[in-house]
Amino acid sequence: MSRSNRNNRAWRYVYSGVREADAVAVVLPEGSAGPNPGYDSDGQHSDSDSEPEFHLPPSIPTALPVTGESYCDCVSQNDTRYCRSMRSFHRMKDCHCGEEDEYFEWMWDDSTKSSATLLSCDNREVNFHMDYSCGTAAVRGDKEMSEGQHFWEIKMTSPVYGTDMMVGIGTTDVKLDKFRHTFCSLLGKDENSWGLSYTGVLHHKGAKSHFSTRFGQGSIIGIHLDTWHGVLTFFKNRKCIGMAATKLQNKKFFPMVCSTAARSSMKVIRSCFSPTSLQYLCCLRLQQLVPEHIDKLEVLPLPPGLKRMLRNQLGWVLSMNQESSGSEAANNSSGSDSDSSSTADAETCQRKRCRWT
């Protein structure tokens, strides 16, 4: 058999494996204690005794859950255990690291969601495909974002795998149940939404660009929508990974998430809003000037009452780390925007933000 035929068969096997992994919780052969040692976390063959026939690019979806990308060091987040009795990976004991907020500006909308979703935890956690998956399910937030500053964080509370699990924004024109019988990357399929995949790929208008490293169970993905400057920015584990879109002024968006993976879930652990006021701009500038490891409010000679008010209303601004890490800052420079403009437009917008703030 020729090498080309063997490669074609290998690719068909890979993609069929991803679809099957979507349909049910990830299952391994009897007697297996974890992922196949012949493959690494990207699904690539890693047998040191022979040259591999093919390699998967980092952005290819994997049938095995992503590990090692958690915000915290909890064993339940960084070690996806294999249950012999259930013959599948299953969710570990809940981790509450990073869930300090008690007030939430918005939650998931129970009246605007796919049929294959179930809300829990006061409508802050969405569970996808409770028994098995036959397509893509999605849900959106219950608050429209048309003005001011919006910041929210989504925590991956289940194993992350399959065709796609995404976070992002979209307009009311996004049909959440349109692909209920199709495995796809729903957010970013057209001009009405932007979506960041767990593979690190940014989607918009059907186009894809490598934006960041992957995220998995326990990862916290933050999104900042600045409607005043029209900028969408993503964070991973509370570190900025880059600007994803510009020129978003005068539009109405909703926060959205979607998943093709069976028994997957995501949770809103922070949702904040602030008008674009002088108070907000001062806090943003303060955040940029004071080193990250220093408590901004503690070092300032402010009255206790003012400190308390700023911490309660604008603490999320002061805690945002807007310095991109090296590799991700280089990769995300190709992120798309509403007009698919070049990186120069994003850099120009960023310079304007510096002057305005």
Side-chain angles (χ1 to χ4, degrees):
M1 183 183 296
S2 66
R3 179 179 292 270
S4 59
N5 290 337
R6 290 156 62 189
N7 283 343
N8 290 335
R9 291 182 59 190
W11 278 109
R12 288 197 298 271
Y13 170 77
V14 169
Y15 283 108
S16 65
V18 171
R19 298 303 188 272
E20 291 173 359
D22 283 319
V24 295
V26 183
V27 177
L28 295 182
E30 183 69 36
S32 181
N36 189 334
Y39 290 83
D40 63 20
S41 59
D42 286 324
Q44 296 176 327
H45 189 68
S46 59
D47 186 358
S48 59
D49 295 332
S50 61
E51 181 180 354
E53 294 288 344
F54 64 94
H55 290 277
L56 298 184
S59 60
I60 292 296
T62 173
L64 298 178
V66 177
T67 58
E69 300 291 340
S70 175
Y71 167 74
C72 62
D73 294 326
C74 294
V75 175
S76 61
Q77 302 295 342
N78 288 309
D79 181 19
T80 305
R81 303 287 182 85
Y82 178 73
C83 178
R84 291 179 179 272
S85 59
M86 297 178 62
R87 298 190 63 196
S88 66
F89 287 100
H90 64 90
R91 295 174 58 174
M92 305 297 293
K93 183 180 179 181
D94 288 342
C95 164
H96 297 287
C97 296
E99 302 180 24
E100 297 87 8
D101 287 23
E102 297 180 356
Y103 173 77
F104 299 89
E105 189 68 27
W106 57 266
M107 295 168 286
W108 298 124
D109 191 349
D110 193 34
S111 63
T112 312
K113 62 184 182 66
S114 299
S115 54
T117 59
L118 177 67
L119 302 184
S120 60
C121 193
D122 297 325
N123 286 358
R124 289 193 297 113
E125 185 166 21
V126 55
N127 303 273
F128 300 96
H129 313 290
M130 297 303 295
D131 295 318
Y132 62 92
S133 174
C134 61
T136 308
V139 64
R140 79 182 192 194
D142 60 8
K143 181 179 179 179
E144 181 183 84
M145 299 177 177
S146 58
E147 60 182 20
Q149 305 292 327
H150 301 268
F151 182 76
W152 65 99
E153 290 180 330
I154 308 295
K155 187 175 184 179
M156 303 295 125
T157 55
S158 72
V160 177
Y161 66 97
T163 299
D164 222 338
M165 294 176 65
M166 309 180 75
V167 298
I169 61 172
T171 67
T172 54
D173 293 326
V174 178
K175 306 302 180 184
L176 302 181
D177 233 6
K178 182 177 180 179
F179 298 99
R180 62 183 181 276
H181 298 307
T182 305
F183 297 103
C184 69
S185 302
L186 187 151
L187 299 182
K189 285 190 74 70
D190 54 31
E191 69 278 3
N192 298 313
S193 61
W194 286 257
L196 179 61
S197 166
Y198 80 96
T199 61
V201 174
L202 182 68
H203 295 249
H204 179 56
K205 289 184 178 180
K208 306 175 184 179
S209 59
H210 183 67
F211 189 77
S212 72
T213 57
R214 300 185 306 170
F215 57 85
Q217 182 173 9
S219 296
I220 295 177
I221 304 302
I223 303 99
H224 179 210
L225 177 61
D226 180 350
T227 63
W228 179 261
H229 300 123
V231 175
L232 177 67
T233 306
F234 282 98
F235 297 75
K236 174 184 170 184
N237 293 334
R238 297 185 173 164
K239 294 185 182 296
C240 181
I241 55 177
M243 184 187 300
T246 59
K247 301 180 181 180
L248 302 181
Q249 295 95 332
N250 304 317
K251 296 183 179 181
K252 299 177 181 180
F253 295 105
F254 289 87
M256 296 182 179
V257 294
C258 69
S259 174
T260 62
R263 302 174 189 174
S264 55
S265 61
M266 307 178 193
K267 185 178 183 181
V268 178
I269 62 172
R270 174 174 288 178
S271 59
C272 309
F273 165 78
S274 172
T276 309
S277 61
L278 180 60
Q279 190 178 72
Y280 163 79
L281 295 176
C282 289
C283 288
L284 181 62
R285 186 58 177 160
L286 180 64
Q287 188 278 333
Q288 295 169 348
L289 293 175
V290 180
E292 177 191 355
H293 63 279
I294 297 178
D295 189 323
K296 281 75 172 176
L297 294 179
E298 289 300 323
V299 300
L300 295 177
L302 299 177
L306 180 57
K307 287 186 179 182
R308 190 180 309 110
M309 185 272 293
L310 290 176
R311 193 178 299 278
N312 292 337
Q313 296 184 8
L314 292 165
W316 64 272
V317 182
L318 297 170
S319 64
M320 282 197 304
N321 178 11
Q322 299 208 358
E323 294 184 0
S324 301
S325 59
S327 60
E328 292 181 339
N331 289 330
N332 64 30
S333 61
S334 61
S336 62
D337 60 36
S338 57
D339 296 321
S340 298
S341 59
S342 64
T343 306
D345 293 331
E347 293 175 347
T348 301
C349 178
Q350 185 62 43
R351 287 196 296 270
K352 290 180 180 179
R353 290 185 66 189
C354 292
R355 290 198 295 269
W356 291 335
T357 57

